[in-house]
Amino acid sequence: MDKKCICQETQRHFLDRAFERLKLKSEHRQLLLSSFRETRITVPITLRHNGDEKLHTFQGYRVQHNHARGPFKGGLRFHPDVNMGEIRALAQLMTWKTALVDIPFGGAKGGIAVDPTALNEIEREELSRRFCQKMAPIIGVHDDIPAPDIGTNPQVMAWMMDEYSKTHGFRTAVVTGKPIELGGSAGRLEATGYGVAHLAHKVATEMALSPEQSRVVIQGFGNVGSHTAIGLANKGYRVIALSDVNGGVMNEAGISIEQALAYVAENGTLTGLPGSAPISNADLLELPCEILVPAALEATITCDNADAIQARLVVEAANMPITHRADDQLKQRGITVVPDLLANVGGVLASYYEWVQNLQQFPWDRETVLRRLESRLSHAHDAVSILAQEREIDMRCAAYELAIRRVDHAVQLRGF
Ligand code: GLU
């Protein structure tokens, strides 16, 4: 089955299970499953390679799922596999995330089917600006606020903010995840990984796993994976394996994250990291460890490898890295999973803080951002944990129930 189907099927399964438990009426279910608007655009740009000029037409998407609780909110992904099905499932997930941490946003997601690494800086800028021009009618400070995701970064947000501001006046709050110089928030860049590390530590402590005893394996060393590694290493955990798209590296004695970051900055990859042995991305997931953090793409843990996972705790730093069948297999084997809508919610939470600072034109310092981030994450975790214990359900079920209840209530109050 291709990825778009797995994503939609997984999301649908988790939702149906929660709808059943909440005994939601079928018309409410239908409303919560439907997107408010699904936009598909073409983004033509001229690529110049080896003196050859050619017009390329890329497909761009924005799915605005639900805005009962506030403006649509969610990232923009530049990746070759981007398609409407995947974006739709990820947009829904954003609705549940923002509801779970109780910030006044709805859910959206967008992206372009493109390999950004195959473009040069000028082409990436043109693509970003073109996309923003075409999406301008449906985004806005109080309508829909994009942010970075896989394949995009603060520079892409800066181009989009500039493009939008050309026709709307200076509008920093139209996107989040911007460079600090342009209204970005201190702490936003590291927020997702910082939050993953905070929650992983909280749950590990509940499971009586101490940092000194716990071996950590992280798949993905992009923005989320690298900041998770920094966060966990700072708390005293031993990170024994890391990977990027090219493959993984491992060292049972522990990898110095500082050294890994310096090596990647110089070589563009983890491959060949001194003092480490190579390992494939597939084998890395099956390493004996206490904590496994999938921090790359969707559907990393499927029926094919779920029974080989040896971790005691899996923390979903990526969105939807575990398919629903694999999730059942892990549960049967007694492996605890911190679900994506809780584990990686630090990113959109810090985006909310950035938006608030932009609206107030009053920046906060990093300590304030991270203190507020930790406190809200802990609060969300505790609510999930209490409900899970009370009802004897897993954390994912509890998180979905809490989020869906909030969104459904808002939908009813507004009279959609
Ligand atoms: N792309 C991130 C996510 O999937 C952040 C979204 C945002 O900040 O709006 O949660």
Side-chain angles (χ1 to χ4, degrees):
M1 195 185 296
D2 65 16
K3 241 191 203 157
K4 73 176 166 199
C5 299
I6 298 182
C7 271
Q8 285 191 280
E9 196 190 292
T10 294
Q11 174 74 193
R12 185 61 197 260
H13 176 87
F14 294 145
L15 286 174
D16 282 344
R17 197 172 56 176
F19 290 161
E20 254 342 280
R21 294 188 58 85
L22 289 166
K23 301 196 172 29
L24 280 197
K25 288 193 199 140
S26 71
E27 57 265 39
H28 289 204
R29 295 181 192 200
Q30 204 43 50
L31 217 154
L32 294 177
L33 286 169
S34 310
S35 307
F36 170 81
R37 175 162 49 198
E38 299 187 347
T39 307
R40 182 182 157 150
I41 55 166
T42 49
V43 197
I45 61 162
T46 303
L47 302 182
R48 295 167 194 87
H49 280 208
N50 306 325
D52 205 26
E53 279 198 3
K54 203 164 169 230
L55 186 73
H56 281 252
T57 304
F58 296 97
Q59 299 300 313
Y61 306 87
R62 185 77 178 163
V63 173
Q64 297 169 319
H65 173 243
N66 186 291
H67 65 160
R69 302 179 59 264
F72 298 106
K73 185 82 190 85
L76 291 176
R77 174 175 291 202
F78 288 179
H79 191 276
D81 294 342
V82 161
N83 60 70
M84 191 61 98
E86 178 200 52
I87 295 294
R88 186 182 296 128
L90 292 167
Q92 292 188 4
L93 184 58
M94 289 310 300
T95 301
W96 318 126
K97 278 195 217 182
T98 54
L100 183 65
V101 275
D102 206 5
I103 51 177
F105 285 138
K109 197 75 159 201
I112 305 179
V114 61
D115 176 4
T117 61
L119 305 183
N120 62 34
E121 183 86 346
I122 294 169
E123 293 162 346
R124 276 197 293 271
E125 174 170 355
E126 201 180 328
L127 190 73
S128 307
R129 288 185 182 277
R130 272 286 166 120
F131 178 86
C132 184
Q133 279 165 15
K134 292 207 167 176
M135 287 295 175
I138 63 158
I139 64 171
V141 174
H142 296 287
D143 301 297
D144 183 355
I145 305 122
D149 197 83
I150 291 168
T152 54
N153 57 23
Q155 177 61 77
V156 172
M157 295 304 118
W159 290 324
M160 292 200 180
M161 187 276 265
D162 179 68
E163 197 57 40
Y164 188 82
S165 294
K166 282 180 185 168
T167 44
H168 293 78
F170 196 63
R171 291 283 187 278
T172 44
V174 71
V175 289
T176 57
K178 299 176 293 290
I180 304 225
E181 299 82 344
L182 291 177
S185 174
R188 171 63 185 91
L189 193 64
E190 62 269 43
T192 313
Y194 186 93
V196 172
H198 175 74
L199 291 164
H201 179 55
K202 220 167 156 34
V203 178
T205 308
E206 283 173 356
M207 293 170 68
L209 293 171
S210 70
E212 309 76 53
Q213 292 165 337
S214 304
R215 294 160 297 174
V216 175
V217 169
I218 302 177
Q219 191 217 30
F221 203 59
N223 180 45
V224 179
S226 62
H227 284 108
T228 301
I230 295 170
L232 286 173
N234 284 345
K235 291 180 195 298
Y237 288 86
R238 179 156 49 105
V239 180
I240 62 160
L242 293 170
S243 71
D244 58 28
V245 276
N246 303 311
V249 291
M250 66 167 295
N251 180 352
E252 188 63 33
I255 295 172
S256 152
I257 306 305
E258 227 169 275
Q259 193 198 343
L261 287 166
Y263 186 82
V264 170
E266 205 178 315
N267 301 283
T269 176
L270 282 163
T271 308
L273 179 73
S276 71
I279 182 167
S280 73
N281 258 308
D283 291 345
L284 173 131
L285 295 168
E286 300 172 10
L287 280 174
C289 65
E290 280 63 45
I291 305 176
L292 172 63
V293 185
L297 287 167
E298 301 94 69
T300 306
I301 303 178
T302 65
C303 298
D304 297 337
N305 59 358
D307 282 337
I309 302 296
Q310 302 196 53
R312 289 189 52 200
L313 172 63
V314 182
V315 187
E316 292 189 316
N319 289 321
M320 292 192 241
I322 307 178
T323 64
H324 67 91
R325 289 204 181 85
D327 195 53
D328 286 341
Q329 282 169 255
L330 296 181
K331 199 184 333 176
Q332 272 158 23
R333 296 183 48 230
I335 298 171
T336 303
V337 174
V338 185
D340 46 12
L341 68 163
L342 175 64
N344 69 37
V345 78
V348 71
L349 189 48
S351 274
Y352 167 58
Y353 295 149
E354 179 173 330
W355 184 73
V356 167
Q357 292 169 70
N358 291 161
L359 293 184
Q360 299 185 341
Q361 294 288 345
F362 185 67
W364 310 344
D365 59 29
R366 185 170 179 270
E367 273 58 52
T368 305
V369 173
L370 296 182
R371 185 171 32 81
R372 289 188 163 149
L373 191 83
E374 282 193 13
S375 137
R376 261 203 199 231
L377 288 178
S378 298
H379 191 76
H381 162 271
D382 295 348
V384 168
S385 192
I386 290 168
L387 187 68
Q389 275 166 29
E390 265 175 24
R391 305 265 168 93
E392 295 181 357
I393 51 178
D394 61 30
M395 275 195 272
R396 192 189 309 276
C397 275
Y400 268 96
E401 277 197 35
L402 284 169
I404 291 170
R405 221 187 286 152
R406 275 192 191 131
V407 178
D408 184 51
H409 194 211
V411 165
Q412 301 316 316
L413 285 171
R414 289 188 62 168
F416 273 13

